[in-house]
Amino acid sequence: MNLIIRTNYWLVLLLFFNGCESIPFLQDSFPSKPQANLTVPQIEGASEKRDRYEFTGKEIIISSDHPLASQAGMEVWKQGGNVVDVFAAASFAISVLRPHSTGLFGGGFAVVFLPAKGKWAYDFRERSPKKGVASFYLKEDGSVILEKTLKGPYSAGVPGTVQGILQIQKQHGKLPLSDILAPAIRYARNGFSVYGDLAAAIVKTWPQMNPAMQKVFGIDNRAIREGELLIQEDLAKTLERIIENAEKEFSDGETIQLVSNYYSEFQEFITTEDFKNYQVKVSEPLVSSVWGHTILTMPPPSSGVHLVTMMHLYSEMQNRNTFPKGDVGEMIRITEAMRVAYRDRAEIGGDPLFTNIPVSKLLSQGYAKEETNEIERKVVSGSWPTPKEEVKKPESYNTTHISILDREGNAVSTTQSVNGIFGAGHMVPGTGLVLNNTMDDFAVAPGVPNLYGLVGSKANAIEPGKTPLSSMSPSILLDASGKTKMVIGAPGGSQIPTSIFNTLYRYLIQKRDLYESVSYPRIHHQFMPDRIFLDPEIKDSYPQSELPFYQVQYSRHRAKVFAVTREGDRLIGVSDPKGEGVPLGF
Ligand code: DON
């Protein structure tokens, strides 16, 4: 009976998302473990959602932010693909299914760990085009031209998503591109039902969309609504050309010609030469010992290094007995660790090819000790600076993360984005491609906050060919014996590193299960504004009166965590219950 109810639940869910899709293997893949009641403060409704957002398997699990993206991954796995094929198929699929979050005119990072082969960090993020210089975004008096980095053609960087996925798949995948791209093409051509989050994004962006984009995301000259079918025929054709021409399609194929035609009306801001010059950057992941595990994370311009600093600082503070006991002491340790990490990010974060980032120093025990000494002085003397009232900019929901882990410990952790909701709000006619607005991830001028309220220094100034600083921090954890323990990452702008920190803290330090750890109310501090953001559910545990030296704001943490962990011979995947995705597997 239970199985039948659950079968229907999944069928209804998938039919809702895509009336035309058949789901042959889904019945082998139901969550097998009934879950105990939760005994922790939860985001509203989270415990009832566990059935949908948690999945247990033995062979492989993928966790993503759309059921059909997870399904695309499992489809190629069933065809004999490996985790990298799963990554590639799910990445192309999610570009179709969450066009407000990511897409082929976006960029991203991936950390790949194949125990028998090696480990890699791939940076396929957007780069500033040759014409992208700081002065282009400033008035003569040096003030910022409003929204030029945020909306329209000049807010886009040269995209890397296609080149990144193709290069990784070519190096480590097994299947032909026709298999990898088949699900994405189906979703684009046959369409899928528009879900709430996407419908809201379409309505919000509608007024600024160029005509080509309104044509795709509209019906009868109005924004397409929840439950209606979204068909992206031009995007299906672009994907088909990728099967035919592989990476050449995005260096000098028809797609690039169409991009060039579009930019002929916009000062040729991005040129065919920019596409020809685009290179995916491949390096070793950053490796560090944290909380009894080894973390493999993305090097700068990702924020992986700051995530690790945060974890080291927390550990160092835990070793000292000068901090207050109980919840308040814990809040101080977490907040101060975050404050230092985001201060570093603001002051020195940027593209390591353009600026020196002392990664080894930031990861060292000596640094954690030094910074903890400073924090300790503040705590012991009670001389906290008075927090200032600062207004935080509203944030948007976008970007996406996919975590994949198989029985052998092969793992991919990837975060991909067009930055803000629907990026620049423009589509390149004839391609189905939505422009990113990732130029806003640069610091347009020192101290001027970006979309996520983050400030930066000259290290992250706009320069031709440069990669903007990013909060995206895809990571993989190994246990003490070197076996893959967890794959984790998140979208959520400035809250990405802290969402990963919060989840690892609940899971590794507090020993909660993965679902609880992902859905547990979160703590966030990002240096500026000087304020702790707490999910409203923990208001009673941390009233402002007990934290007089902080300014506390109770508001929803918006990052969504997607993680897979290994516990014995079980793999457990969780998609954040705030999102639309599900984990799937076998
Ligand atoms: O790379 C970055 O830091 C941003 N482009 C990420 C944006 C993001 O995660 C938005 N999330 N909701």
Side-chain angles (χ1 to χ4, degrees):
M1 179 63 185
N2 190 23
L3 181 68
I4 293 167
I5 291 169
R6 292 175 80 137
T7 304
N8 286 340
Y9 173 79
W10 282 97
L11 281 171
V12 167
L13 182 76
L14 273 132
L15 288 172
F16 169 75
F17 274 103
N18 186 346
C20 325
E21 283 303 308
S22 65
I23 35 177
F25 53 81
L26 208 67
Q27 289 178 358
D28 328 339
S29 54
F30 292 116
S32 54
K33 190 176 64 130
Q35 296 296 330
N37 283 338
L38 300 178
T39 53
V40 292
Q42 285 293 315
I43 301 292
E44 202 185 330
S47 62
E48 300 87 71
K49 291 180 179 173
R50 185 187 273 259
D51 251 10
R52 170 182 163 157
Y53 290 98
E54 179 187 62
F55 185 91
T56 304
K58 291 209 158 172
E59 211 181 289
I60 179 155
I61 301 236
I62 175 172
S63 172
S64 83
D65 206 7
H66 196 292
L68 292 175
S70 297
Q71 189 193 333
M74 291 305 89
E75 188 174 314
V76 297
W77 177 261
K78 271 299 204 194
Q79 287 170 288
N82 60 16
V83 291
V84 169
D85 294 312
V86 172
F87 147 78
S91 298
F92 280 118
I94 202 84
S95 286
V96 174
L97 299 160
R98 293 194 66 87
H100 54 316
S101 299
T102 187
L104 306 189
F105 212 103
F109 298 130
V111 177
V112 178
F113 178 50
L114 308 174
K117 251 178 116 179
K119 52 186 183 322
W120 299 266
Y122 290 91
D123 169 350
F124 48 94
R125 186 156 162 76
E126 299 87 336
R127 322 272 181 234
S128 172
K130 210 165 167 201
K131 290 201 173 137
V133 290
S135 56
F136 190 64
Y137 298 90
L138 300 175
K139 294 185 197 156
E140 267 176 25
D141 65 2
S143 61
V144 174
I145 302 174
L146 199 67
E147 302 206 318
K148 196 166 178 180
T149 57
L150 267 177
K151 289 181 181 162
Y154 309 115
S155 63
V158 184
T161 297
V162 172
Q163 304 302 40
I165 301 171
L166 293 182
Q167 184 165 326
I168 298 169
Q169 202 271 339
K170 196 169 178 181
Q171 274 171 346
H172 308 295
K174 286 161 68 180
L175 297 180
L177 281 183
S178 51
D179 289 348
I180 298 294
L181 283 143
I185 293 171
R186 252 185 5 247
Y187 302 151
R189 177 156 292 139
N190 300 349
F192 62 92
S193 174
V194 170
Y195 46 96
D197 184 48
L198 174 55
I202 295 172
V203 166
K204 191 170 175 208
T205 318
W206 183 257
Q208 80 187 65
M209 288 183 187
N210 67 341
M213 192 163 168
Q214 284 195 338
K215 205 164 152 216
V216 173
F217 293 104
I219 294 178
D220 298 335
N221 291 323
R222 57 143 178 97
I224 200 165
R225 298 187 185 120
E226 185 172 353
E228 291 180 331
L229 199 65
L230 173 63
I231 292 178
Q232 301 173 79
E233 179 57 31
D234 284 342
L235 186 55
K237 289 191 180 129
T238 299
L239 291 162
E240 280 170 342
R241 290 196 300 275
I242 294 174
I243 297 183
E244 213 160 291
N245 305 319
E247 60 276 5
K248 288 202 180 63
E249 185 57 29
F250 267 67
S251 59
D252 58 5
E254 187 182 330
T255 308
I256 301 316
Q257 201 45 56
L258 290 164
V259 173
S260 170
N261 293 350
Y262 165 82
Y263 269 107
S264 64
E265 286 180 34
F266 301 106
Q267 300 179 45
E268 294 178 337
F269 178 64
I270 297 185
T271 63
T272 48
E273 203 189 321
D274 287 319
F275 278 92
K276 277 202 192 97
N277 291 340
Y278 186 92
Q279 286 195 337
V280 176
K281 291 176 187 152
V282 191
S283 64
E284 283 276 311
L286 287 186
V287 180
S288 189
S289 297
V290 286
W291 299 354
H293 291 73
T294 301
I295 191 166
L296 312 181
T297 190
M298 195 70 210
S302 151
S303 290
V305 61
H306 307 300
L307 166 66
V308 176
T309 305
M310 211 183 283
M311 294 173 81
H312 284 169
L313 276 165
Y314 171 82
S315 298
E316 183 58 32
M317 283 185 257
Q318 248 194 346
N319 292 338
R320 313 228 177 156
N321 55 15
T322 38
F323 286 77
K325 304 261 174 296
D327 282 352
V328 169
E330 203 60 351
M331 182 62 77
I332 291 174
R333 280 187 279 270
I334 292 173
T335 303
E336 295 306 315
M338 289 175 176
R339 185 201 300 278
V340 170
Y342 278 80
R343 181 206 63 199
D344 291 347
R345 185 194 188 283
E347 287 178 0
I348 54 174
D351 182 343
L353 293 180
F354 288 72
T355 182
N356 174 37
I357 301 173
V359 170
S360 316
K361 176 183 158 195
L362 295 178
L363 296 183
S364 69
Q365 290 308 325
Y367 186 67
K369 281 194 194 330
E370 239 171 67
E371 288 295 331
T372 301
N373 291 344
E374 288 298 314
I375 298 166
E376 201 169 35
R377 265 195 281 281
K378 194 162 68 171
V379 171
V380 171
S381 67
S383 59
W384 297 80
T386 321
K388 286 192 255 34
E389 263 295 343
E390 277 159 302
V391 182
K392 192 169 181 295
K393 283 194 172 186
E395 294 192 17
S396 56
Y397 253 118
N398 41 71
T399 305
T400 204
H401 182 87
I402 306 172
S403 289
I404 304 158
L405 175 60
D406 79 3
R407 180 170 31 205
E408 314 303 333
N410 297 303
V412 183
S413 185
T414 181
T415 315
Q416 299 170 20
S417 184
V418 287
N419 193 28
I421 294 182
F422 276 122
H426 270 214
M427 180 176 275
V428 179
T431 63
L433 302 181
V434 175
L435 299 183
N436 65 75
N437 65 345
T438 303
M439 293 302 280
D440 190 63
D441 276 339
F442 284 113
V444 61
V448 174
N450 74 356
L451 180 61
Y452 305 101
L454 290 164
V455 289
S457 69
K458 219 172 160 296
N460 191 33
I462 302 177
E463 292 179 67
K466 195 173 180 181
T467 312
L469 178 58
S470 175
S471 299
M472 300 188 290
S473 310
S475 301
I476 296 174
L477 247 66
L478 314 182
D479 67 15
S481 68
K483 272 184 93 173
T484 318
K485 173 68 184 165
M486 191 188 282
V487 185
I488 188 165
S494 58
Q495 298 183 341
I496 291 172
T498 53
S499 65
I500 300 172
F501 178 97
N502 274 265
T503 306
L504 294 178
Y505 170 73
R506 300 292 169 199
Y507 188 78
L508 296 175
I509 306 250
Q510 294 200 326
K511 311 282 181 215
R512 297 179 191 276
D513 72 28
L514 186 63
Y515 181 82
E516 284 180 5
S517 302
V518 169
S519 54
Y520 201 96
R522 297 192 192 132
I523 301 164
H524 174 77
H525 192 290
Q526 62 177 51
F527 175 56
M528 279 174 74
D530 184 1
R531 184 180 303 179
I532 312 182
F533 295 90
L534 296 180
D535 267 321
E537 288 76 8
I538 39 178
K539 194 169 183 167
D540 292 344
S541 317
Y542 303 106
Q544 170 79 71
S545 54
E546 287 197 28
L547 301 163
F549 32 82
Y550 290 135
Q551 200 182 99
V552 185
Q553 181 173 319
Y554 304 96
S555 58
R556 174 73 57 235
H557 194 281
R558 42 189 293 291
K560 297 187 272 185
V561 170
F562 299 87
V564 185
T565 191
R566 182 182 51 76
E567 291 180 4
D569 66 351
R570 291 185 318 155
L571 301 175
I572 300 164
V574 171
S575 294
D576 199 306
K578 284 201 282 292
E580 287 71 36
V582 295
L584 284 179
F586 298 98

